Amino acid sequence: MSAPGAMLSRPPTPAGSPPSPVPQVVLAVVCGGYALGAAFGWGSIEVALFMGDFGLSFAALVAAVSCGLYARRRRSRLRPAWMLFAASSGMAGIGNGVWGWYEVILGTTVPSPSPADFCFLLFAPPAIVGLLVLAKRPVSRAGWVCLGLDSWLIAGSLLTLSWSLALAHTAHFQGRSVAQSALSLAYPLLDIVLVSMVLVLHFRRSSVHRSAVNTAIAALALTVLCDALFSSPLLREHYRSGQILDAGWFAGSMLLAYAPWVARRAGEEEPDEAAEPAAVRVPHGSRPLAGSLAALTPYLAAAVCTLGILTNVLDGRRIDRVVLFTGCTVVLALVVRQGIMLLDNITLTHELAQKENHFRSLVQGSSDVIMIAAPSGVLRYVSPAAAGVYGRDAEELIGSELATLIHPEDLGRVVHEVRRFLAADPQDEPTTRIECRFRAGERRLGGGGTSRSSGAESGGGWLNVESTVNRHHGGLIFNSRDVTERVRLQAQLQHNASHDALTDLPNRALFTERVTQAVTGRRASDHDTAVLYIDLDGFKQVNDTIGHQAGDELLIQAARRLAESVRAGDIAARLGGDEFAALITGDGTRDRAAREFRIHEIADRLRIKLSEPYRIDGRDVRVAASIGVAFAEPGVTPAGLLRNADLAMYRAKQAGKGRVELYAPQMQDEVAHRAELASKLRTALDEGEFALLHQPVVDLATGRVTAVAAHARWRSAEGILFTPAEFLRVGDRGRYTDDGDRAAELDRWQLEEAVRQAATRHRAGHQIPVAVRLSARRLLDRALSPKGVEALLTRHGLPARELVLELSESDSRIALDDLERRLVALRRLGVRIALDGFGSGYAAITALRRLPVDVLRLDRGLVDGVVESSRLHKITAGLLRIAGDLGMQTVADGVDLPEQVLALRSMGCTHGMGLAFSGPLDEHRLRRALTRTGYPVPDHAGQGRAVVLSGSGVPARRGGLAGPETMAHPPLRSNSETSVPPT
């Protein structure tokens, strides 16, 4: 068998379990036992009479009760038929009971006519009507007329034949009364009608309840046969109850009693009236035979009628009027029926032609390709749409084997689905859907970009085709459509879901999946497999300076370099923003040093490649690359491997950026420690563990306290007192903390608390300005808008001139224009602005030139070596001279030695703060310091070293107090400010 034939061959369907044969066996045993008893005379005349009369009566009543019970329980379309059969059997039972009353009870001969004869006559009409109910109802008037004509054709032919053979003698029988003659004719005539209905019903029976209908027809046919034998004068003269003829009536009644329950046992239960009748499949080949016999029935009837007339002629007898009249009516009925059938055939032919044209137009005009495949797998029909869909003419495809048109990779799957579909029950699965690749013609490949791309992807001229498959005379009907574009779009969507839209590199989801495969797959033992986590240093500045479009172009070029630099078996991905990653598969190296050297070499090559200048919009743009490396050590999870590489990359950024760092276990410990401190910091903010200390700002000429600088301190629950250099580093807005909001909250608390305490001191008579250190980003915060600061000062009752806001840092990401506008607005309120850390970077010069600054605070890096270094002495003197020329007050930070006080004062510095005067003080000690005259300052007579005191106490006063004007706006300190003295 060819491949297509094997594909379309129907596998054997397992047959269901047959019904139990016990009821049939019981029925056969009962009927056989009755027949055996009748054949041997039942042993005595009395028993024979009893069984022949009351036995038949009992069997008929059983049939009546059985049909009646079934009709009562089952509300179906055939319910009236079973009710009529029950009535018919009831009349037969009563008639046999009356017959037994005369013969058995009274012991007399049954009179003729008798009540039993009337009961027997009433047996036929309900049965005839019941057979009409069982018949398939015509759908038109012509159908009803044809049904009546067919019935008369059969009945007339039987009447002609029986009249010619026997009934004519019965009608002319002398010595009988009219009633006896009528009864003699009534029995055979009703039997003829009943036989006619049985024959008509055989060819017009309903498609439902087939087993029950066949059993009922057989029961009535057996009863009619026995009635016909009983009607014979010769047999009737010698008939006695209990003979073998009664066995036929008994079997007919028992069959009719069994008939309604056959359908339930055979699985052909008819649905209720509320439900639609289920279609019952007819075995293949039975309908043509039944249709042929039904078509020949009228001609057979006419032939029988003609045979009856010829019999009279050949016997030399005169043609009876009944025979002649019946024959004429039969021929007339045949002519009328043929005329009706001719008109019906003309109408049906016209309708068939219209429907055929309609469906041909639908098939030929459909955009889907309709193909019919024979059981051998050869295409017998292909619709014209094949030219547009497949690029091949329908005539070219007809006769081709279906398997030769399906892609070899899809053929096995298609064959499996077709075999499964053919083995399934058509009622449960009328159709199925198959999707495969189909061979396309040259015209389609040359005329459409979609097909060309599909062919390129598939390796040949193939189209993606979706087909709806139906059964058709052992073969299949394929309703196919081209879904190549849909498949391409689905593939594109899947690609987009797993790749970055900007760089087309694998995204985080796909990269994580590949890492999982590498860690848990068959190469899990390759411990030299590594993940490289890459971050572009300075990418934020590219976006801020030359725009986001340039930043996107830089990312595209970086992704291209990364993809070209990794090996064929490795994978590079973009995780988001300016973060990339690479999975470097191992080569089985066991030596730890060797694998670290190999991966470090690869990572360093990537770093150098990514750090080369990028040509964007005609300019060279430089960024560096920080790379963290982590190995797939035993027991590490995919998420843990990515986290380790990320930690190593963060360490590379902390160590100066533009470098490669290998992951070490202590990195995780540092992160855990930082996270623990950050958690404690959040708790400290929520539970109020922070305190505010103030460090005096002293006039270097007089020693008077002209301002105080507010500093936050955190006393943890363990009793540890953290300085800003410690807890601000903990609360840094790094990659692994979400404390940016907490740092902002800390700044807001510090400003609020500083203003509150300054207002309290102001009301106590100490009108000393307070300086609060804030970052440039925080100064641009919405909460520190001029209106917000004004509301804060008003709420606590502090004059604006007693608040100094110190700008602590210069951030290149902050626009100086925005910062300048914010500081100008704050100065209009009366708030003074100080520039902190001046001299620590080139950005301070730009800030000095652009920003409205009142106070300049020298970085402690300039103060520490001002005495020892003549070079630093000259630089500091120059900066102080510039500040003086600009009319700014100057404050030196970190003045810890008397020599520094003398040197700074000689260079023109007006104020200072540090351990030479006092460290940070709590509110109680600050009040004591403010009530005193001031701090002693060294003079030029060499008394400097004797005046150095601890920051926690008040130094002994030496020398006089100068009286320069009190500084209104002191600056803030850096993170390395003076530590807290012991308390």
Side-chain angles (χ1 to χ4, degrees):
M1 183 179 292
S2 63
M7 178 177 68
L8 298 181
S9 61
R10 182 187 299 271
T13 304
S17 58
S20 174
V22 174
Q24 291 95 328
V25 173
V26 172
L27 181 65
V29 169
V30 172
C31 294
Y34 190 94
L36 189 62
F40 289 97
W42 296 103
S44 66
I45 297 177
E46 291 78 6
V47 175
L49 291 177
F50 182 85
M51 294 301 297
D53 295 335
F54 292 109
L56 292 182
S57 177
F58 174 78
L61 292 177
V62 168
V65 172
S66 175
C67 294
L69 286 176
Y70 182 82
R72 183 178 180 181
R73 293 181 181 180
R74 299 291 298 173
R75 304 182 63 84
S76 64
R77 187 182 67 83
L78 302 183
R79 182 187 182 191
W82 298 115
M83 293 296 295
L84 290 169
F85 289 153
S88 177
S89 298
M91 297 309 299
I94 295 174
N96 283 301
V98 173
W99 196 285
W101 174 265
Y102 283 107
E103 284 191 337
V104 178
I105 304 301
L106 299 181
T108 61
T109 304
V110 180
S112 180
S114 69
D117 292 322
F118 292 101
C119 291
F120 290 144
L121 289 177
L122 291 177
F123 165 81
I128 293 172
V129 177
L131 289 174
L132 286 174
V133 174
L134 289 180
K136 185 178 180 180
R137 297 180 182 180
V139 295
S140 62
R141 294 181 180 178
W144 283 106
V145 174
C146 288
L147 177 62
L149 292 176
D150 289 343
S151 302
W152 172 243
L153 286 172
I154 297 173
S157 61
L158 294 178
L159 178 61
T160 301
L161 185 61
S162 60
W163 188 274
S164 300
L165 296 178
L167 293 183
H169 300 286
T170 303
H172 294 87
F173 189 77
Q174 301 296 328
R176 289 191 175 187
S177 63
V178 177
Q180 292 175 339
S181 300
L183 285 175
S184 300
L185 291 175
Y187 280 119
L189 290 178
L190 288 175
D191 288 339
I192 289 173
V193 174
L194 194 57
V195 170
S196 302
M197 293 308 304
V198 168
L199 292 176
V200 171
L201 180 61
H202 177 71
F203 300 112
R204 291 179 176 270
R205 62 184 182 272
S206 176
S207 59
V208 297
H209 249 162
R210 183 174 297 274
S211 301
V213 172
N214 289 337
T215 306
I217 291 175
L220 294 176
L222 184 59
T223 303
V224 169
L225 177 62
C226 294
D227 287 345
L229 294 175
F230 179 77
S231 299
S232 173
L234 182 61
L235 184 59
R236 187 170 184 177
E237 289 294 332
H238 300 87
Y239 170 78
R240 289 193 305 272
S241 296
Q243 292 182 343
I244 192 67
L245 185 61
D246 292 346
W249 280 315
F250 184 85
S253 297
M254 296 307 294
L255 277 177
L256 190 59
Y258 175 69
W261 309 100
V262 175
R264 174 175 294 181
R265 298 187 65 257
E268 298 178 2
E269 277 292 333
E270 186 184 7
D272 294 340
E273 290 180 350
E276 291 292 334
V280 179
R281 288 178 291 166
V282 180
H284 182 66
S286 63
R287 288 185 177 180
L289 179 61
S292 301
L293 292 177
L296 292 175
T297 300
Y299 301 100
L300 293 176
V304 170
C305 184
T306 304
L307 183 62
I309 297 175
L310 290 177
T311 301
N312 289 334
V313 173
L314 293 177
D315 289 346
R317 297 195 302 269
R318 185 174 59 86
I319 300 176
D320 192 272
R321 294 179 182 179
V322 175
V323 174
L324 182 61
F325 177 77
T326 305
C328 291
T329 55
V330 168
V331 173
L332 180 62
L334 179 62
V335 172
V336 173
R337 187 186 186 281
Q338 291 302 109
I340 294 174
M341 293 302 297
L342 180 61
L343 294 177
D344 195 24
N345 287 338
I346 293 174
T347 303
L348 291 177
T349 303
H350 181 67
E351 292 179 358
L352 180 62
Q354 287 183 340
K355 292 181 178 179
E356 184 178 355
N357 292 333
H358 175 69
F359 287 109
R360 181 182 292 109
S361 300
L362 290 177
V363 171
Q364 294 181 353
S366 174
S367 59
D368 293 350
V369 180
I370 299 175
M371 301 184 298
I372 300 178
S376 61
V378 177
L379 295 177
R380 296 187 305 184
Y381 173 80
V382 180
S383 66
V389 175
Y390 298 149
R392 306 177 67 177
D393 294 332
E395 294 77 7
E396 178 185 353
L397 292 174
I398 295 176
S400 302
E401 291 187 353
L402 188 60
T404 61
L405 303 174
I406 299 175
H407 196 284
E409 297 178 1
D410 300 338
L411 183 59
R413 175 172 52 83
V414 173
V415 170
H416 175 75
E417 175 61 22
V418 168
R419 287 180 175 178
R420 185 203 62 78
F421 172 65
L422 292 176
D425 189 351
Q427 291 183 341
D428 297 336
E429 190 175 4
T431 63
T432 188
R433 189 181 67 86
I434 295 176
E435 188 170 326
C436 62
R437 284 168 288 182
F438 199 87
R439 188 181 300 277
E442 295 296 332
R443 286 181 295 173
R444 180 62 193 273
L445 291 177
T450 301
S451 298
R452 186 178 299 274
S453 63
S454 175
E457 294 173 1
S458 305
W462 302 97
L463 298 173
N464 293 96
V465 175
E466 181 187 65
S467 302
T468 302
V469 185
N470 296 270
R471 300 173 180 84
H472 178 69
H473 298 299
L476 295 174
I477 297 179
F478 293 84
N479 193 341
S480 307
R481 62 204 63 88
D482 181 15
V483 294
T484 304
E485 184 66 19
R486 189 196 71 188
V487 172
R488 186 189 67 81
L489 290 177
Q490 288 177 346
Q492 184 65 39
L493 289 175
Q494 291 177 354
H495 179 83
N496 293 342
S498 59
H499 288 74
D500 178 59
L502 180 63
T503 63
D504 203 38
L505 288 179
N507 58 14
R508 182 182 292 271
L510 180 57
F511 185 76
T512 304
E513 179 182 345
R514 296 296 175 84
V515 171
T516 302
Q517 294 174 358
V519 173
T520 62
R522 60 182 180 87
R523 303 195 62 178
S525 59
D526 296 341
H527 301 155
D528 55 340
T529 298
V531 169
L532 276 59
Y533 213 105
I534 306 167
D535 185 86
L536 299 181
D537 303 322
F539 176 74
K540 177 66 174 176
Q541 286 75 6
V542 175
N543 275 338
D544 293 340
T545 54
I546 60 177
H548 289 274
Q549 186 173 358
D552 291 344
E553 179 61 28
L554 189 148
L555 291 175
I556 293 173
Q557 294 185 25
R560 188 181 302 118
R561 293 182 186 183
L562 183 61
E564 293 172 353
S565 300
V566 298
R567 301 172 305 176
D570 302 332
I571 179 175
R574 183 191 178 201
L575 305 183
D578 60 340
E579 294 180 352
F580 296 86
L583 175 65
I584 309 299
T585 56
D587 55 4
T589 303
R590 293 290 180 178
D591 185 13
R592 183 181 185 90
R595 73 176 186 179
E596 289 183 358
F597 177 79
R598 181 179 68 89
I599 296 298
H600 194 283
E601 185 180 20
I602 294 174
D604 199 56
R605 186 174 67 250
L606 290 178
R607 180 191 63 80
I608 295 173
K609 187 69 174 177
L610 293 174
S611 300
E612 293 177 356
Y614 296 86
R615 192 68 178 175
I616 300 175
D617 294 336
R619 69 175 74 178
D620 288 339
V621 178
R622 292 181 178 271
V623 294
S626 297
I627 302 178
V629 180
F631 289 96
E633 301 290 348
V636 68
T637 62
L641 181 59
L642 290 173
R643 184 190 64 246
N644 294 343
D646 195 10
L647 288 173
M649 187 273 294
Y650 183 54
R651 171 58 65 87
K653 295 181 75 69
Q654 283 184 327
K657 303 181 180 180
R659 54 188 292 131
V660 176
E661 286 285 344
L662 298 181
Y663 170 77
Q666 58 267 25
M667 295 181 183
Q668 184 64 35
D669 296 336
E670 293 175 1
V671 171
H673 179 66
R674 187 184 301 112
E676 182 182 1
L677 289 180
S679 176
K680 292 180 179 179
L681 176 61
R682 290 192 293 269
T683 303
L685 282 171
D686 295 336
E687 297 183 1
E689 295 180 1
F690 278 91
L692 199 64
L693 302 182
H694 295 83
Q695 188 167 16
V697 178
V698 179
D699 189 313
L700 296 181
T702 65
R704 293 178 55 191
V705 178
T706 60
V708 291
H711 301 293
R713 293 292 187 270
W714 169 27
R715 187 180 298 277
S716 67
E718 292 82 2
I720 303 175
L721 190 64
F722 292 100
T723 63
E726 296 170 308
F727 67 75
L728 289 182
R729 184 166 58 250
V730 173
D732 186 23
R733 291 165 293 174
R735 295 164 53 86
Y736 304 102
T737 62
D738 57 353
D739 294 307
D741 293 339
R742 294 295 179 179
E745 184 179 349
L746 177 60
D747 286 343
R748 289 193 293 269
W749 173 86
Q750 180 175 319
L751 179 60
E752 177 90 16
E753 187 67 13
V755 171
R756 185 188 67 80
Q757 293 186 17
T760 303
R761 290 192 297 270
H762 178 78
R763 288 191 292 270
H766 303 291
Q767 299 180 3
I768 301 298
V770 60
V772 182
R773 181 176 180 270
L774 296 172
S775 66
R777 180 177 298 276
R778 199 72 65 220
L779 282 171
L780 290 176
D781 194 355
R782 184 177 302 175
L784 289 178
S785 64
K787 291 184 178 180
V789 174
E790 184 179 10
L792 175 64
L793 295 172
T794 303
R795 183 168 64 252
H796 293 287
L798 181 67
R801 66 180 181 275
E802 295 188 14
L803 175 63
V804 181
L805 295 180
E806 294 189 356
L807 181 63
S808 63
E809 62 185 29
S810 297
D811 192 344
S812 59
R813 295 172 294 181
I814 300 298
L816 286 179
D817 294 338
D818 297 338
L819 185 59
E820 182 181 5
R821 285 192 294 269
R822 175 60 58 89
L823 296 179
V824 169
L826 290 172
R827 286 189 69 190
R828 290 198 188 103
L829 295 177
V831 176
R832 305 300 297 274
I833 306 299
L835 184 59
D836 181 32
F838 186 77
S840 61
Y842 69 93
I845 301 297
T846 304
L848 186 62
R849 179 175 58 87
R850 295 281 306 273
L851 300 179
V853 178
D854 301 298
V855 180
L856 193 64
R857 178 174 168 183
L858 294 180
D859 186 71
R860 71 180 301 129
L862 297 175
V863 177
D864 286 341
V866 71
V867 177
E868 295 83 2
S869 174
S870 59
R871 182 182 182 87
L872 190 59
H873 187 279
K874 293 178 182 180
I875 294 174
T876 305
L879 295 177
L880 290 172
R881 187 167 51 253
I882 293 173
D885 294 340
L886 294 176
M888 299 179 183
Q889 294 179 351
T890 54
V891 178
D893 187 13
V895 182
D896 298 333
L897 301 174
E899 292 88 347
Q900 295 172 345
V901 176
L902 294 174
L904 290 170
R905 188 170 57 191
S906 64
M907 288 185 287
C909 182
T910 59
H911 298 81
M913 55 187 295
L915 292 180
F917 308 107
S918 174
L921 304 174
D922 57 21
E923 186 65 21
H924 174 70
R925 292 176 179 175
L926 178 62
R927 293 287 184 94
R928 283 182 6 186
L930 293 178
T931 56
R932 294 196 176 128
T933 312
Y935 290 99
V937 294
D939 54 20
H940 293 280
Q943 301 175 359
R945 295 189 180 276
V947 297
V948 179
L949 302 173
S950 173
S952 60
V954 179
R957 183 165 178 251
R958 289 195 180 186
L961 291 176
E965 184 178 353
T966 302
M967 187 193 82
H969 308 284
L972 282 179
R973 302 182 56 80
S974 66
N975 285 347
S976 58
E977 66 182 10
T978 307
S979 59
V980 179
T983 57

